[in-house]
Amino acid sequence: MNSPPEPPSPAERPAVTDAELLAAHINGDPHAFSEIVKRHRDRMWAVALRTLGDPDEAADAVQDAFVSAYRKAATFRGEAAVTTWLHRIVVNACLDRMRRKSVRPVADDELIEAAERETPLPDQTVEREVSMEVSAALKLLPSDQRAALVLVDMMGYSVEDAAQVLQVPSGTVKSRCARGRAKLAPILSHLRNRTDLDRVSSAKGAELRDG
């Protein structure tokens, strides 16, 4: 008598895609959405923290975003990746929180004064100091410029992918990034070692984006 075939090991099983998990959630699977959260919460947290610059605000924004995604999963049309759809919801949650707090754009002279008040912490590594200064500078930008710069410069997304997340034309993303970089230039001009700055932004962003 032949014994029944053994089920495939986890390593042999085909990976379930995000889209399949979302479809399973819509069809009533009680565990599917939790898997989506596990896969992407770190990346969503990174975007929210960079955008808002406050851990508590970022945590609340991510929670709001995942609750919204859970409830509105049926509206996902599959025109973009699930990760793009999630990023869009997280960015919108961040922008909503910023608007509710009525954060006003900061003038260029205020940006320079803020930079002059910043003093590096002697017990931090160079990379940590640079990361903190970049994060502090981002907080002083208007919300639309900050969101574009976070996605393109900090998280390493292409202009086209960022445009999908923000639901604006690619040219608008380029313009927002250019204006944001111009405002950041006087603040971060003292960071002469561009290698350190690039490592903090693009390398860390790629690590968080790609998992």
Side-chain angles (χ1 to χ4, degrees), residues 109-180:
D109 56 347
E110 292 179 82
L111 292 174
I112 296 173
E113 291 175 7
E116 291 173 346
R117 289 196 299 269
E118 292 293 329
T119 55
L121 301 178
D123 59 339
Q124 298 286 347
T125 65
V126 172
E127 184 173 322
R128 176 63 174 165
E129 289 174 7
V130 171
S131 180
M132 291 174 64
E133 291 190 57
V134 171
S135 296
L138 282 169
K139 290 175 66 176
L140 301 175
L141 292 178
S143 59
D144 58 347
Q145 295 173 20
R146 191 193 312 182
L149 278 176
V150 165
L151 291 173
V152 175
D153 286 358
M154 306 303 294
M155 301 301 296
Y157 278 84
S158 68
V159 169
E160 291 74 20
D161 287 343
Q164 276 196 317
V165 171
L166 298 173
Q167 294 184 295
V168 298
S170 296
T172 300
V173 174
K174 291 179 181 178
S175 175
R176 290 176 181 178
C177 287
R179 293 199 302 270

Side-chain angles (χ1 to χ4, degrees), residues 191-208:
L191 300 177
R192 301 184 185 277
N193 188 343
R194 306 309 300 176
T195 301
D196 284 337
L197 180 57
D198 290 343
R199 184 171 66 249
V200 171
S201 59
S202 60
K204 185 60 176 176
E207 175 188 336
L208 290 167

